[in-house]
Amino acid sequence: MQIEKTALMHKTAALLEFDRILDRLAYHSMSEEASAIIRAEKPLDDSAAVAQTKTAVQAIISRITSEGGDPRRYLPSVGFLIPKLEVEGMILEVDEACAIGLFCERGEELKKWLLPHPLFAAMLSDTPDCGDIANAVFRIMDREAKLRDLPELRAIKRRIQNLNAGLEAAVSRYTADEDIRRMLQSTVPSQRDGRTVLAVKANFRGRIRGIVHEVSSSGQTIFIEPENVVEKNNEILVEQQNFQAEIRKIMLDVTKTISEHSAALKEFRLTVINIEILMAKARYSLDTGGYFSPDEESGEMALVQARHPLLNNAVPIDLTMDGGTLALIITGSNTGGKTVALKTAGIFAMMNQIGLALPAAAGTMLPVFDGVFADIGDEQSIGQSLSTFSAHITNIANIVSHSTARSLALLDELGSGTDPQEGSAIAMAILDRLIERKARLIITTHHGILKNYGYSRQEVENASVEFDVRTLSPTYRIITGIPGESRALEIAGRNGLPPDIIAQAKTYLDSGHSDVSALISGLKEKHRELDTLTEKTRSEDIRLTDERRKADLKELRLRQKELELKAGLAGKLRLLLDESRKTLENLVRELKEESTSEGALTREKTLKVKEFLGDLARTVAAEDAALEAEEQAIADEQRRAETTETKTGTVEFAPGMEVFAGKPQRRGILIRPDKKSTAGNTWVVEIGSLKISFPERELTPAPPLPPHQHKPHIAAVDIVSPPSSPRFEINLCGMRLDEALETLRRQIDTALLHGLGEFSVVHGKGDGILQKGVHQWLKQESAVADYYFSRPEMGGFGRTEVILKR
């Protein structure tokens, strides 16, 4: 039973072209192992697992957004190497050990990048640390799988160099001797089986004694290893064997070190691959600019401005089923978009259940289904003796048998392919059974009886694809609550059927059908009028809200002016208080002096003076408090007005906008959002030569200055004749090294200007001069984030992938 359900869901995925979504998702992965897992991924049917996946993907998106990018580096495949580590005595090749080292190093970088987020701090807390493996590998080799100049190898290398020098000297005695040179076919020594030989003309074979290694196909050349060269070749061969033995010893030690951590490496690999799958989903969701459906438990299903992810220039559709609606019957004209709506709903459900953002607007909601089943298109099979009707019924029978209250069934042209009356009866019986099981259904049909069925069942809702009778073309808009007409006659006439045949067809339509068509047309017209009135009302609301906001702002400015005047008066009063206090203090001092002689100043008089001063101070303090309270009230009202203004869409701050900032209202230019601020909604504003952070509530859009008041701002960029646009691949083959590096430099400059983040460099293999020169130059270039050889099928060691910093 489970096998049959799996096969049915696999068939549905093929009908909905879900594999193309997975291919696009796999493209965003930096690991071939992760890509393979993605291509085999199946939608989850557990609500908690789906919610957990989406939460992790959204957490990664927040990290990418806050950090301005992610550590986008290629992860080598190491899964096939782990079983080797469990074989005693196994020695890894140099490139295999390098792959494990790179995987551990870049996996640790990925972990470190994610750890600041609380979700991943908990998720990765128990993940093994494999940094020691990377350190052990790169102690003996670089990141291009080239062994370092280790002390164990240095002495052997030196002996081999000396022996090669002696060998060259011995051979040069033959090539330098004029008498011997005329015996040689070439003065350049050759190599046969790793040994240096001379190409001797056949008629001189007895003149140079030595070992014959090979004779040319023409018989004119004999490759001889001279006697005095044999021993030198032997010595070199012995040292080369010693060199390889030492390398094997070094690699054995490294393999043992890695093997000791094989269990940790196995767990680490699974964690990193799973993270890379989540990273791919985050990159895909960012590229599509999608919206994550919330965890919907009520069963409500809504698609808002949903665009089919595989269609170019897809028309957005709206489709809604509340918790009490189990079936939606979509009717209407051919080519009106019914099947596309069906496929959009199905592929959205599958994308949601692997944790992807959906190409739709806010308000989109989808439940988690335990199965998405579809019957779409013509599945006639001559080989299996199945007609169109038989093929559909066979598939629908499987859908009915596997559907539950948590299933979504998509049935295209239900009841078609046979007698309309019998087909409608079968269709209604199928709907009865699926509704009885509480399954969610979206059906398309041309049968009029099913439109009536939609009105007779509380759990069923009618919908139609709109048709413009003026242009005789579909608008691809779905109208809920009203069934649609097939418009077969209009479409047939538009597609070339003679008018007299159309006229004859109309005479065959009975009056009852005409009455129903008129009723449907009337309903659609009323619906259109209601939409127009709703849109007009919404526009009027926006206009009134905007006028109210402007009036409120005007009143605030008047109150601010009044407050400034009051503040001025309070300042004068405060100044008067200070001067009065000084005057009275002097007067009291004089009275005290006089009272000393006359005894006229009493304690009561002194208290009255102090009381007068206290009353005056309290009056000033009360005025200050009132002014401060009014200032705070005006600020609060201004923030509310700005919030309303933002919600109505009339103010939207963006880099480059001129604003008045802070309480002094100084003119400046918005540079960027302040990511370091913890307050949120804070911008960095350039005021003169200073850059200062201000919250949005202290910013007011400023009208642009006249052109003659702008200060010139000149930025010089030094680029030497760049191409008009960067290329995704440059070919350096056939160029000299300096010419190739100049071409590469221009490509990087132009790519940075145009926002191209990565490209390929074809340098070929050859003698490796171009390859080595390009890699050395890329290693020192500050604008390069990473580079690596292409995959074998893309060119291997003859092609390099370059990733620029962002």
Side-chain angles (χ1 to χ4, degrees), residues 394-628:
T394 301
N395 196 32
I396 291 172
N398 288 329
I399 292 174
V400 170
S401 64
H402 291 96
S403 292
T404 69
R406 292 185 58 229
S407 300
L408 173 65
L410 310 168
L411 307 177
D412 191 28
E413 301 295 352
L414 182 61
S416 63
T418 187
D419 176 79
Q421 191 171 0
E422 293 182 356
S424 297
I426 292 173
M428 287 188 289
I430 290 170
L431 292 179
D432 286 343
R433 177 59 60 86
L434 290 172
I435 290 172
E436 182 184 323
R437 295 191 175 184
K438 305 294 185 184
R440 304 305 289 273
L441 314 170
I442 304 178
I443 302 102
T444 67
T445 184
H446 285 284
H447 290 312
I449 297 177
L450 289 181
K451 302 173 188 177
N452 296 333
Y453 179 88
Y455 282 122
S456 65
R457 296 293 298 265
Q458 187 177 0
E459 310 93 337
V460 182
E461 184 80 59
N462 274 316
S464 60
V465 286
E466 189 178 42
F467 188 85
D468 192 334
V469 294
R470 290 167 300 206
T471 62
L472 298 180
S473 60
T475 64
Y476 304 104
R477 180 181 170 215
I478 296 177
I479 304 173
T480 304
I482 300 177
E485 298 176 272
S486 295
R487 296 286 180 178
L489 296 180
E490 289 88 342
I491 294 172
R494 191 183 179 195
N495 285 279
L497 196 65
D500 56 332
I501 296 179
I502 299 294
Q504 182 67 24
K506 287 181 179 179
T507 65
Y508 286 112
L509 292 174
D510 57 30
S511 60
H513 183 275
S514 299
D515 291 341
V516 172
S517 296
L519 176 62
I520 291 174
S521 297
L523 285 172
K524 285 189 174 180
E525 187 61 33
K526 291 295 183 184
H527 199 284
R528 194 176 293 110
E529 289 175 3
L530 181 61
D531 282 350
T532 303
L533 182 60
T534 303
E535 180 62 26
K536 186 177 180 181
T537 304
R538 191 178 69 84
S539 300
E540 184 66 16
D541 286 343
I542 292 174
R543 185 185 68 79
L544 291 174
T545 301
D546 190 50
E547 289 185 359
R548 190 182 304 114
R549 180 192 58 79
K550 289 178 180 177
D552 290 343
L553 289 176
K554 186 176 181 180
E555 182 184 355
L556 280 172
R557 292 191 188 100
L558 291 174
R559 290 181 60 187
Q560 284 176 336
K561 187 65 177 176
E562 182 183 358
L563 183 66
E564 290 174 5
L565 293 173
K566 288 183 178 179
L569 291 174
K572 291 180 180 178
L573 185 60
R574 198 179 298 107
L575 180 62
L576 175 62
L577 172 65
D578 291 341
E579 292 177 352
S580 299
R581 179 179 285 110
K582 291 177 182 176
T583 302
L584 290 171
E585 286 175 353
N586 291 333
L587 181 59
V588 169
R589 187 165 49 254
E590 291 175 3
L591 290 173
K592 282 183 177 180
E593 291 173 357
E594 293 178 4
S595 65
T596 304
S597 58
E598 300 177 5
L601 185 62
T602 65
R603 184 173 179 276
E604 288 78 8
K605 292 180 180 180
T606 305
L607 289 175
K608 285 182 181 180
V609 171
K610 290 183 179 180
E611 185 178 350
F612 171 76
L613 290 175
D615 290 343
L616 191 58
R618 281 190 290 274
T619 302
V620 173
E623 188 69 23
D624 284 342
L627 286 173
E628 186 176 350

Side-chain angles (χ1 to χ4, degrees), residues 283-294:
R283 295 176 191 129
Y284 177 88
S285 298
L286 278 173
D287 282 355
T288 58
Y291 172 78
F292 285 94
S293 168

Side-chain angles (χ1 to χ4, degrees), residues 120-292:
F120 290 102
M123 187 185 299
L124 302 175
S125 59
D126 296 330
T127 304
D129 187 339
C130 287
D132 291 342
I133 295 178
N135 294 336
V137 170
F138 296 125
R139 184 188 64 80
I140 65 164
M141 66 181 73
D142 61 21
R143 284 154 185 81
E144 295 179 1
K146 295 178 182 177
L147 289 172
R148 300 187 185 278
D149 187 22
L150 301 172
E152 306 94 299
L153 302 176
R154 198 173 299 141
I156 302 176
K157 281 183 181 178
R158 193 177 298 111
R159 288 198 296 272
I160 292 175
Q161 288 174 354
N162 293 335
L163 290 171
N164 279 324
L167 177 63
E168 289 176 6
V171 172
S172 65
R173 284 196 287 272
Y174 288 93
T175 57
D177 190 314
E178 193 64 33
D179 293 334
I180 297 177
R181 284 178 64 182
R182 62 188 180 86
M183 304 179 192
L184 305 177
Q185 290 283 17
S186 171
T187 57
V188 179
S190 298
Q191 291 284 325
R192 290 295 182 274
D193 299 326
R195 303 178 75 86
T196 301
V197 296
L198 297 175
V200 181
K201 296 176 182 177
N203 54 330
F204 290 108
R205 64 174 296 176
R207 302 287 297 274
I208 298 178
R209 299 179 61 81
I211 299 172
V212 176
H213 281 265
E214 189 179 315
V215 179
S216 67
S217 57
S218 64
Q220 298 298 312
T221 305
I222 300 173
F223 294 93
I224 298 176
E225 182 182 6
E227 288 181 343
N228 64 329
V229 174
V230 171
E231 186 57 34
K232 295 186 180 298
N233 273 330
N234 289 341
E235 291 176 354
I236 291 174
L237 184 62
V238 169
E239 288 300 328
Q240 287 175 341
Q241 291 295 329
N242 291 338
F243 187 75
Q244 292 300 321
E246 195 61 40
I247 290 176
R248 283 195 298 274
K249 181 180 176 183
I250 292 170
M251 292 309 300
L252 178 61
D253 292 340
V254 172
T255 304
K256 285 181 179 178
T257 300
I258 299 174
S259 297
E260 290 171 358
H261 300 85
S262 62
L265 178 60
K266 188 183 297 184
E267 183 181 348
F268 180 80
R269 172 185 166 272
L270 292 176
T271 301
V272 171
I273 294 297
N274 287 333
I275 289 175
E276 182 54 32
I277 292 172
L278 294 174
M279 294 287 290
K281 292 178 179 179
R283 295 176 191 129
Y284 177 88
S285 298
L286 278 173
D287 282 355
T288 58
Y291 172 78
F292 285 94

